[in-house]
Amino acid sequence: MPSTLAEGRATHPEQTLMHAEAGDAANAAARFLTGNAETLARIAARLRATPPAFVATCARGSSDHAATYGKYLFETLIGIPTASAAPSVASIFTAPLRARGALCIAISQSGRSPDLLRTVEAYKTAGAFTVAVVNDAASPLASLTDETLLLHAGPERSVAATKSYITSLVALAALAAHWADDRALLDALARLPGDLAHAFDLDWGAALTALSGATNLFVMGRGYSLAVAQEAALKLKETCALHAEAFSSAEVRHGPMAIVGEGFPILAFATSDKVGDDVRTAAGEFEARGATVAIADASDPAAHLPTIAANPIVEPILMIQSFYRFVNLLAAARGLDPDAPPHLRKVTQTL
């Protein structure tokens, strides 16, 4: 059975560790941007001077969802192909790599998973430029890579990662913005800590009724918002014992939509750009079938789930911040403890 709030623990959702840690994300983002300004400029200068042939990301769990965001950033802003590395290639198959001239970005909260470390070692040995995005300055990963971007998220005691995920997104957006010298994105990132504080105060209670008794749902995004759809689906599993699957609004049309009918719950994240238009269209199609749709729509910030309109690249970061407050409330509504999901540990070490 899922873990319920233990006797003697605070049962009010605003007194959970998850609530407190997610609420610190605005401060964490500010700490990251201030603490890594010189490192970001140095890495970006190197990447502009010697552009990599391709980018490989290395991560698991929430960090791999952040890597999805990085893929869209690097391919749309820089034009360099980006793909997620399979850690088993180095850790289990011990296959040699050809990665000279590549950029390898390893993303991790703990920086201690053996397969991640072996993958970074393999890329570095093969001639790649390696960068760590990590929360623990004393971790093996932080000392292994050529450059390190410390998240400065601070300790997280809740099993469900929140502020470290958000700062991972901020790290990748900041790296892409500096690399592309995108002034609009840099300005949006400068405003982001204040926007995150506002986003955490937004009320997504309109989705509580639909999801309190749900057993299955789809979470949709596309482009920059796909990464937060993936993260939201994971958090719904971890904290609410809810079977949630994340899909691109394009991919969901290739088969999965066949099971969407009357009352089927859909949570959607739509940015204010043309990619968000496809999420809005898919959500409308499902709603016409009788599905129960809750949408965060940055093109209409007051609609259903309130959102903040900003640069479309940072809108998903603001949406996931609002979602974290909501999912903590949803867990409580379902009688579960979001800080201690069953069978999970804070640090997962895979081989």
Side-chain angles (χ1 to χ4, degrees):
M1 291 293 293
S3 175
T4 56
L5 286 165
E7 185 177 353
R9 279 191 49 124
T11 57
H12 195 283
E14 291 189 0
Q15 294 176 317
T16 64
L17 294 171
M18 184 180 187
H19 178 89
E21 290 167 0
D24 188 45
N27 294 326
R31 291 192 296 267
F32 173 85
L33 292 168
T34 300
N36 289 281
E38 292 183 4
T39 306
L40 286 164
R42 183 172 62 248
I43 295 172
R46 172 170 176 165
L47 294 173
R48 284 195 298 269
T50 310
F54 65 92
V55 180
T57 58
C58 180
R60 289 199 185 277
S62 291
S63 296
D64 199 36
H65 303 155
T68 298
Y69 182 63
K71 172 183 176 64
Y72 282 98
L73 289 168
F74 301 136
E75 293 191 351
T76 60
L77 298 183
I78 313 297
I80 294 184
T82 302
S84 178
S88 297
V89 170
S91 65
I92 302 297
F93 292 99
T94 62
L97 297 173
R98 297 179 181 177
R100 183 166 301 280
L103 167 63
C104 175
I105 302 176
I107 310 163
S108 175
Q109 297 156 43
S110 70
R112 298 180 184 279
S113 188
D115 57 351
L116 182 141
L117 295 171
R118 290 180 190 175
T119 299
V120 174
E121 288 173 346
Y123 270 90
K124 192 171 184 179
T125 299
F129 172 45
T130 56
V131 176
V133 177
V134 65
N135 197 34
D136 186 350
S139 66
L141 180 62
S143 60
L144 175 62
T145 52
D146 298 305
E147 292 278 9
T148 298
L149 292 169
L150 292 176
L151 293 177
H152 295 291
E156 275 187 322
R157 291 184 291 159
S158 179
V159 169
T162 53
K163 59 180 177 176
S164 62
Y165 175 74
I166 285 177
T167 48
S168 295
L169 299 182
V170 174
L172 293 166
L175 177 57
H178 281 272
W179 187 357
D181 194 23
D182 187 321
R183 305 314 304 178
L185 180 53
L186 288 168
D187 289 344
L189 288 168
R191 295 189 297 269
L192 187 59
D195 287 344
L196 280 167
H198 181 195
F200 193 65
D201 289 335
L202 296 180
D203 181 8
W204 281 21
L208 273 176
T209 301
L211 298 185
S212 292
T215 54
N216 302 281
L217 80 153
F218 286 170
V219 187
M220 288 195 309
R222 191 169 184 184
Y224 301 122
S225 71
L226 178 59
V228 298
Q230 293 172 332
E231 171 66 4
L234 175 62
K235 288 298 181 287
L236 288 163
K237 295 184 185 85
E238 286 180 336
T239 66
C240 298
L242 227 173
H243 178 222
E245 289 191 78
F247 290 101
S248 160
S249 55
E251 190 66 29
V252 76
R253 293 180 170 97
H254 290 266
M257 70 185 301
I259 69 171
V260 177
E262 187 72 29
F264 191 93
I266 303 284
L267 176 62
F269 297 92
T271 48
S272 60
D273 55 5
K274 63 181 180 181
V275 178
D277 290 341
D278 189 67
V279 178
R280 285 181 279 277
T281 299
E285 291 172 4
F286 288 138
E287 198 163 28
R289 294 186 188 186
T292 302
V293 177
I295 183 168
D297 184 355
S299 72
D300 186 5
H304 206 190
L305 305 180
T307 59
I308 297 173
N311 185 308
I313 292 175
V314 303
E315 286 169 350
I317 307 178
L318 301 172
M319 290 176 185
I320 200 66
Q321 174 70 326
S322 301
F323 169 83
Y324 281 149
R325 180 170 186 146
F326 163 74
V327 79
N328 179 70
L329 290 170
L330 179 62
R334 291 169 68 90
L336 304 176
D337 180 358
D339 291 335
H343 317 303
L344 296 178
R345 295 180 299 172
K346 184 61 184 172
V347 178
T348 303
Q349 295 194 345
T350 47
L351 298 176

